[in-house]
Amino acid sequence: VSPTLDQEYVTLINRMGISTRQLAGYVDNILGVSQIDRESFTVEASEGKWSDIVAQSTPDLSARAQAHLRKLNIEIDKNLPTVAVDGTSILHVINNLVDNAIKYSSEGGTVTVRASLKDDMVETEIRDDGIGIPASVVTNLFTKFYRSHRSKQVISGTGLGLYLSKAIVEAHGGNIWVRSTEGVGT
């Protein structure tokens, strides 16, 4: 006979797991930034299908979205080419961006991860229908330790995720940018 856990305990254990992964993400960000600052950051690229790489993060991202009462949509074009990437560091970027989208969207909101081919490049878009970002803030988003005064008051974070994400994407020869409209989403 196996004991069964009350649903309240299952929920608590799930939230503890999500919090643990979030804390591990903060530590990973700090370590990654340390490597960038020491100029010892490298990527070890290998060839793989982009859809498979994104799919690796889907269960964890879905759990995070669900824990924060958000919906997660994954829309990956079926005919994407193989890409040469460091899967671990690229997953770190996807996790950082989706975590931000979850943090800055409203309860019941939707976060979408969409990947498609644009001009011989695989473009991956992380979209939320949240509070949006003021135009005056967008230019600073990829600066180390930058957090807008408004988000510091209500949302936890280190201000390292986007800085590190930019370094990882650029180390792969890619580009990262933000489009946002206040009150509409990012």
Side-chain angles (χ1 to χ4, degrees), residues 46-59 61 76 81-92 94-95:
S46 60
E47 196 166 336
K49 289 190 69 163
W50 187 251
S51 56
D52 293 344
I53 294 165
V54 174
Q56 288 176 15
S57 66
T58 301
L61 295 175
I76 309 297
T82 58
V83 292
V85 297
D86 181 324
T88 301
S89 62
I90 286 297
L91 284 175
H92 194 76
I94 293 169
N95 287 336

Side-chain angles (χ1 to χ4, degrees), residues 152-172:
K152 284 181 193 178
Q153 298 167 358
V154 294
I155 301 194
S156 66
T158 60
L160 296 174
L162 292 177
Y163 172 79
L164 181 58
S165 294
K166 179 177 169 88
I168 291 169
V169 169
E170 289 178 349
H172 282 86

Side-chain angles (χ1 to χ4, degrees), residues 4-154:
T4 59
L5 290 176
D6 183 326
Q7 185 57 41
E8 187 176 321
Y9 290 115
V10 171
T11 301
L12 178 63
I13 290 169
N14 286 337
R15 286 182 179 238
M16 287 171 45
I18 290 165
S19 293
T20 300
R21 287 188 294 276
Q22 185 176 26
L23 183 58
Y26 290 155
V27 171
D28 286 344
N29 281 348
I30 291 167
L31 293 173
V33 167
S34 174
Q35 288 178 328
I36 291 167
D37 288 348
R38 289 190 327 256
E39 297 180 3
S40 63
F41 179 76
T42 59
V43 294
E44 296 183 27
S46 60
E47 196 166 336
K49 289 190 69 163
W50 187 251
S51 56
D52 293 344
I53 294 165
V54 174
Q56 288 176 15
S57 66
T58 301
D60 189 45
L61 295 175
S62 293
R64 291 184 215 185
Q66 189 174 32
H68 293 309
L69 305 174
R70 306 314 191 259
K71 296 177 198 107
L72 179 68
N73 290 334
I74 307 287
E75 302 171 5
I76 309 297
D77 284 358
K78 293 178 183 172
N79 297 321
L80 294 178
T82 58
V83 292
V85 297
D86 181 324
T88 301
S89 62
I90 286 297
L91 284 175
H92 194 76
V93 171
I94 293 169
N95 287 336
N96 271 329
L97 297 177
V98 171
D99 277 342
N100 281 349
I102 290 169
K103 284 185 210 177
Y104 292 99
S105 60
S106 302
E107 196 172 288
T110 301
V111 174
T112 302
V113 178
R114 178 179 299 129
S116 58
L117 191 61
K118 300 258 171 102
D119 301 323
D120 295 330
M121 298 284 284
V122 174
E123 181 177 280
T124 302
E125 175 183 358
I126 314 296
R127 177 183 296 263
D128 68 60
D129 55 5
I131 61 173
I133 304 168
S136 62
V137 169
V138 170
T139 57
N140 297 315
L141 287 177
F142 296 103
T143 304
K144 184 170 41 171
F145 298 118
Y146 181 78
R147 300 195 62 225
S148 77
H149 70 284
R150 188 170 73 176
S151 69
K152 284 181 193 178
Q153 298 167 358
V154 294

